[in-house]
Amino acid sequence: MYDVLVIGGGASGLASGLSAARAGAGRVAVVERQARVGKKLLATGNGRCNLYHYGLRAEEYVGDRAFIRAVLGRFDADAFFASLGLPVAVEENGCAYPGSNQASAVLDCLRLTAGEAGVEEICEFDVSRLEGGRRGWRVWAADGRSLSAARVIVAAGGMAAPKLGGSNAFRSLLAPLGHTFTPCLPALTRLCARPSDVAGLKGLRCAGTIALSVNGREVSRETGELLFAEDGVSGIAAMQLSMFAAEALRRGERVEAHLNVGGGLDAAAVLARARRFPERALEEFLTGVVPKRIGQAALKRAGIAPLSRLAGSLSQEEAARAADELSDWVIPVTGLPGFDAAQVMLGGVKCREFCPETLESKLAPGLYACGELFDATGPCGGYNLAWAWASGCLAGRSAAKPL
């Protein structure tokens, strides 16, 4: 019989188990369906683990912002990581990383500190259902094994990155208890396009600005590195916009990405460059200002051919069309990849069904939840791990108090 049983050994699950033990819960265990805990955590931040974002605000998340604000306001990142013995370095852009720049160090510190607090790890225990309520809970595994606990914390994660442990287990656990969900969609992933719209650009990286429009109205804009794929546009700037594209695409609305990759070139600048290098072939004359293939693609979209022409033959009207393509390259967004390519899940269990001060279920007393399974999604840059730590710590402390 456990005092607190945590379902899920990810960031939020480990944080909640540790916090429950520190808050005085007697016997605490974290159960994980995989062979080890923290597998997804090891892959965050390209292996560096972007712990949180300095000065983050609830307004930067998608979901129930009042609920998110209440949870984040109860978390002290500096105190939490100091208690793990984990030095943190905050970079100029606000991203906080472990001093070692190793995600493995974060996981090691979490497991070590939790173990010292008495938290047990039970791996390869695939929870399939919950039974119980105020007087206690029974947690059943798919193979028939079961565990008992006074309080249960569901930290089963979301559906993103199934190879790293993502699944829809949270639904099968919470739905029978009466909980409901907003649509669950892949987020922080590339924007898909027709291959013909990005032909010849696969693997190319460039700096630029990308704006997302829905039914002709701009909804968000990002500046940063763009990475072209065979079937769309990736890179952090495009991935941030996927949070806004996902729901619009689900509703069947017209979604377009507007790329500015021209480095500030207007029609006059394009024409001036053509006059300066009149003997240079059009396929080369923008090289150095923009990546060669970007320049060639812009000229083709502008209907300027053949590219073997000399730059001196460029007309004023052609220069204007080329500048337009460089500053407002419109790419219809055809969709998003599946959860395999997504970093996080957009949507999840409805926040209003849980108490924001404790994260206890309003429908099933004695049941708590934390992490990605909530309808609370942040952009790249440590926002989603910050939510995992904050919600995990709050759920753990709260689950221990009634005991």
Side-chain angles (χ1 to χ4, degrees), residues 85-330:
L86 187 71
V88 176
V90 180
E91 299 186 346
E92 288 185 5
N93 59 4
C95 294
Y97 292 91
S100 64
N101 271 326
Q102 293 181 321
S104 58
V106 180
L107 180 57
D108 288 343
C109 285
L110 267 173
R111 295 186 64 204
L112 179 62
T113 311
E116 291 170 344
V119 179
E120 300 177 39
E121 290 181 10
I122 304 174
C123 294
E124 297 182 308
F125 192 99
D126 188 4
V127 179
S128 60
R129 76 179 192 275
L130 302 173
E131 295 178 356
R134 190 180 297 277
R135 295 184 179 181
W137 292 85
R138 194 87 177 164
V139 177
W140 294 88
D143 60 9
R145 291 179 292 163
S146 68
L147 298 169
S148 296
R151 303 286 182 267
V152 169
I153 300 174
V154 180
M159 298 165 65
K163 293 180 180 178
L164 298 176
S167 74
N168 64 354
F170 67 96
R171 279 181 173 276
S172 61
L173 298 178
L174 296 177
L177 303 176
H179 282 290
T180 56
F181 311 85
T182 59
C184 298
L185 306 167
L188 298 190
T189 185
R190 72 182 181 276
L191 304 173
C192 292
R194 296 173 303 216
S196 59
D197 287 333
V198 290
L201 300 177
K202 180 181 178 181
L204 179 67
R205 298 175 184 269
C206 73
T209 296
I210 178 170
L212 192 81
S213 69
V214 175
N215 292 335
R217 181 179 65 87
E218 182 176 318
V219 295
S220 189
R221 174 182 294 260
E222 294 285 340
T223 297
E225 184 181 73
L226 302 173
L227 170 62
F228 291 90
E230 187 175 22
D231 63 345
V233 187
S234 187
I236 290 179
M239 291 167 64
Q240 305 281 45
L241 298 182
S242 67
M243 294 197 301
F244 304 96
E247 184 62 27
L249 289 166
R250 186 188 71 83
R251 296 192 298 261
E253 296 175 309
R254 176 168 56 90
V255 180
E256 295 174 324
H258 298 253
L259 279 62
N260 184 337
V261 292
L265 284 179
D266 57 14
V270 171
L271 191 61
R273 187 172 179 84
R275 299 295 180 259
R276 184 178 180 185
F277 302 104
E279 300 301 317
R280 187 172 292 180
L282 286 175
E283 63 184 355
E284 298 283 1
F285 99 103
L286 288 174
T287 303
V289 180
V290 297
K292 179 178 177 179
R293 283 186 285 162
I294 291 286
Q296 292 173 344
L299 293 173
K300 289 178 181 178
R301 292 194 307 275
I304 300 170
L307 296 187
S308 57
R309 281 171 49 193
L310 297 182
S313 67
L314 197 69
S315 70
Q316 186 171 355
E317 191 270 338
E318 287 175 323
R321 296 205 312 264
D324 286 345
E325 291 296 336
L326 288 167
S327 62
D328 188 19
W329 173 9
V330 182

